[in-house]
Amino acid sequence: MSSVQVLKKNEVAAFLETLPSDHLLFIVDEKLKDLKNVFLDLENVNKKKSVFYCKSGEETKNFHELEKAIEFFLSQGIHRKCILVSFGGGATSDFSGLVASLLLRGISWVTIPTTFLAMIDAAIGGKVAINSKFGKNLIGHFYLPLNNILIPDFLTTLPQEELFNGMGELVKYAFLDIAIYQAILSGEPLHLIMKRCIDYKNKIVKKDLREEGDRKLLNLGHTFGHAFEIHLKIPHGQAVLKGLEFILKMDNKIELLESFYKLCEHLSLPLNKYNFPKFEVIKELVMRDKKVQNVDEIDWINIIEIGKPEIKRESIEAFLQRAEIVYGEYVKLHQGS
Ligand SMILES: NC(=O)c1ccc[n+]([C@@H]2O[C@H](COP(=O)([O-])OP(=O)(O)OC[C@H]3O[C@@H](n4cnc5c(N)ncnc54)[C@H](O)[C@@H]3O)[C@@H](O)[C@H]2O)c1
């Protein structure tokens, strides 16, 4: 199981010194090179270091970049005790974990996430992947990091939009765990709330690494969220937020919707309007999703009440029919240009 440590930026070098390897491999989002407040000064780390700067965001999650990173590290005279450190947002950790899992049949790795979304979600739990032309995250597997290092200092350089993006996942956690919902509304410091999200995810991952049972709960809001993300080309967290709102509307959960809007308002989280497509487009994308169990059935996450999620298996036909009934009304209310 991965451990979580909350550190200050100036404590990172000392932490890296403690890692049990004489050669550290770094994958760093290239955009962070120019951010003075984020850039890691590795001068004080007295170990051999090999640094690969990956492309920022989704542009790194493909075979071409994977090959480049792997060949680069192999050219550096690596061995099985090398430890790979991922430094960047969720795209970087998805990519880095896959590289770590493939190098010499798998070396240890550590995540130092730099976006809010990656800190509370993407860098936790060992789902590592690149994208295919057939869809996002279709090439990968489960490969847990040794440690997750949480450095809230990095949030200071994060653009507002990226912070909102991560908040989408935060709202998801708040519906999964009432303690998180209450902590947000009671104004608990953000880093403590973040730690709660990480602990919640780690607890679930410990029971079910390969998403055969409880880990599916973390897909709350993702069934339609992924479809919105792909078609509307919007960030993952915002898509999850829309996906959660839609699933609550589907079953006309009025009280839960009120709680949802209350939380968004409390977090000053804007509910953006988008240019939603015809239902057929969304239907097609939902049917292609990984959550489809077989040709006829889909697993989706229902919220009975805040803190009480359940996995529901339903025929895809019935599920999509129910969705289609509310989709028109939803789009009318949330359509932008
Ligand atoms: N593995 C999982 O369990 C999981 C879960 C959720 C999402 N994901 C994946 O995570 C990715 C999204 O992650 P993300 O939202 O972190 O996006 P990202 O990694 O693309 O980062 C977003 C942007 O923020 C920039 N950035 C990163 N840190 C910064 C900082 N401190 N200051 C300023 N800018 C900074 C990046 O360069 C990038 O341009 C997607 O690829 C998604 O599929 C994975």
Side-chain angles (χ1 to χ4, degrees), residues 213-230:
D214 276 2
R215 187 166 184 167
K216 291 180 185 173
L217 296 173
L218 298 168
N219 291 330
L220 174 64
H222 285 60
T223 308
F224 290 98
H226 268 162
F228 296 154
E229 181 178 356
I230 294 166

Side-chain angles (χ1 to χ4, degrees), residues 112-181:
I112 308 184
T114 60
T115 65
F116 188 54
L117 184 135
M119 288 180 194
I120 63 168
D121 198 53
I124 315 294
K127 268 193 189 176
V128 298
I130 56 171
N131 302 326
S132 147
K133 64 179 175 191
F134 295 105
K136 265 183 64 105
N137 300 327
L138 295 183
I139 303 151
H141 52 115
F142 300 92
Y143 196 67
L144 277 175
L146 273 181
N147 305 71
N148 302 116
I149 303 304
L150 177 61
I151 306 178
D153 294 355
F154 290 145
L155 295 179
T156 51
T157 56
L158 203 61
Q160 179 83 301
E161 193 193 323
E162 291 299 338
L163 197 63
F164 285 156
N165 183 26
M167 296 258 178
E169 293 282 4
L170 179 63
V171 172
K172 174 194 85 175
Y173 280 113
F175 273 76
L176 292 174
D177 181 356
I178 192 159
I180 297 178
Y181 185 86

Side-chain angles (χ1 to χ4, degrees), residues 79-97:
H79 53 73
R80 305 276 308 256
K81 293 274 182 209
C82 284
I83 296 180
L84 189 148
V85 181
S86 165
F87 185 62
T92 307
S93 53
D94 276 12
F95 175 76
S96 305

Side-chain angles (χ1 to χ4, degrees), residues 39-317:
F39 188 66
L40 280 187
D41 186 3
L42 300 175
E43 288 303 303
N44 299 329
V45 182
N46 291 314
K47 293 175 188 274
K48 184 174 174 192
K49 292 157 285 208
S50 301
V51 185
F52 179 84
Y53 289 100
C54 68
K55 295 207 160 120
S56 166
E58 294 305 304
E59 273 185 54
T60 199
K61 289 174 64 174
N62 59 60
F63 274 124
H64 179 64
E65 293 301 310
L66 186 71
E67 183 182 3
K68 255 173 48 190
I70 287 175
E71 296 293 6
F72 167 76
F73 288 127
L74 292 177
S75 77
Q76 300 288 300
I78 62 170
H79 53 73
R80 305 276 308 256
K81 293 274 182 209
C82 284
I83 296 180
L84 189 148
V85 181
S86 165
F87 185 62
T92 307
S93 53
D94 276 12
F95 175 76
S96 305
L98 192 58
V99 173
S101 73
L102 294 171
L103 281 174
L104 310 180
R105 296 205 180 92
I107 60 169
S108 297
W109 72 300
V110 169
T111 68
I112 308 184
T114 60
T115 65
F116 188 54
L117 184 135
M119 288 180 194
I120 63 168
D121 198 53
I124 315 294
K127 268 193 189 176
V128 298
I130 56 171
N131 302 326
S132 147
K133 64 179 175 191
F134 295 105
K136 265 183 64 105
N137 300 327
L138 295 183
I139 303 151
H141 52 115
F142 300 92
Y143 196 67
L144 277 175
L146 273 181
N147 305 71
N148 302 116
I149 303 304
L150 177 61
I151 306 178
D153 294 355
F154 290 145
L155 295 179
T156 51
T157 56
L158 203 61
Q160 179 83 301
E161 193 193 323
E162 291 299 338
L163 197 63
F164 285 156
N165 183 26
M167 296 258 178
E169 293 282 4
L170 179 63
V171 172
K172 174 194 85 175
Y173 280 113
F175 273 76
L176 292 174
D177 181 356
I178 192 159
I180 297 178
Y181 185 86
Q182 288 164 344
I184 296 171
L185 288 186
S186 70
E188 191 172 277
L190 189 62
H191 72 279
L192 295 181
I193 297 174
M194 292 168 81
K195 180 77 172 33
R196 284 180 189 271
C197 296
I198 297 169
D199 289 346
Y200 183 89
K201 182 159 183 180
N202 269 334
K203 199 174 75 196
I204 290 212
V205 169
K206 192 173 172 192
K207 279 199 281 183
D208 176 25
L209 174 66
R210 302 187 63 83
E211 201 170 297
E212 286 152 352
D214 276 2
R215 187 166 184 167
K216 291 180 185 173
L217 296 173
L218 298 168
N219 291 330
L220 174 64
H222 285 60
T223 308
F224 290 98
H226 268 162
F228 296 154
E229 181 178 356
I230 294 166
H231 184 81
L232 302 169
K233 301 197 171 23
I234 58 177
H236 180 78
Q238 287 181 27
V240 168
L241 193 69
K242 283 284 169 206
L244 173 56
E245 183 188 29
F246 184 75
I247 212 90
L248 296 176
K249 286 226 165 161
M250 230 171 102
D251 286 333
N252 199 21
K253 303 227 158 116
I254 294 176
E255 273 180 38
L256 288 176
L257 277 164
E258 279 169 7
S259 306
F260 174 85
Y261 294 124
K262 184 173 164 190
L263 198 62
C264 291
E265 199 182 322
H266 183 85
L267 293 166
S268 308
L269 195 51
L271 282 162
N272 296 335
K273 297 192 176 228
Y274 298 109
N275 195 4
F276 287 96
K278 287 201 174 102
F279 186 70
E280 279 61 41
V281 176
I282 296 298
K283 179 175 168 180
E284 193 58 36
L285 289 167
V286 169
M287 286 169 72
R288 277 205 335 233
D289 199 90
K290 294 195 285 308
K291 288 174 280 300
V292 172
Q293 287 302 304
N294 52 51
V295 276
D296 299 324
E297 289 175 315
I298 187 164
D299 282 350
W300 64 278
I301 309 308
N302 180 41
I303 293 290
I304 301 165
E305 58 188 70
I306 295 179
K308 274 206 187 146
E310 65 171 350
I311 304 162
K312 280 206 145 182
R313 184 162 293 181
E314 190 172 347
S315 96
I316 299 183
E317 206 188 331

